[in-house]
Amino acid sequence: MEIWEAAYIAGIIDGEGSISLTKFHAIEHRRPCISIASTDKELLVYIQSLSGGTINNKKNYNPDKHKDSYTLNIKKKDAVLSLLSIISPFLQVDKKRKRAQWILKKYEEVTPRNGKYNSELLNRKIAFEEKFFSI
């Protein structure tokens, strides 16, 4: 990815995206996720070609008044961390930049590779999530 593409994607995320921790299954802990909503599918396809992820259609209940809309979700840990490391210097929205930096700094520390937590690791993971949502 070129530097200008990273800056462009950061601008799109600043305006239309989110950086969050999300549960994908009820019995697991939250994982980093980047999502971008848009009515311009071509834009999302372009970003997807650079970063991965999946594009979902949103149901349009009133096509006479509203355009179709789409969401690009980037959920794979490696893809999210890679993208955040590239775009974080270009993020202008303070909250999003701080969240990206917090994930990059701490997520790997508090997440065991095998997914098994002892009490100390679990407490650190919960503290990580609480700090993230307080940003």
Side-chain angles (χ1 to χ4, degrees), residues 22-31 115 117 125 129:
T22 307
K23 280 188 178 184
F24 295 110
H25 304 288
I27 61 169
E28 68 181 21
H29 294 281
R30 295 177 185 272
R31 296 185 290 175
Y117 292 85
K125 179 75 166 194
E129 292 177 3

Side-chain angles (χ1 to χ4, degrees), residues 64-81:
D64 295 334
K65 289 186 177 181
H66 303 291
K67 292 181 178 180
D68 291 339
S69 61
Y70 310 92
T71 304
L72 171 64
N73 290 308
I74 305 167
K75 299 178 183 178
K76 290 185 179 179
K77 180 184 86 168
D78 292 339
V80 170
L81 295 179

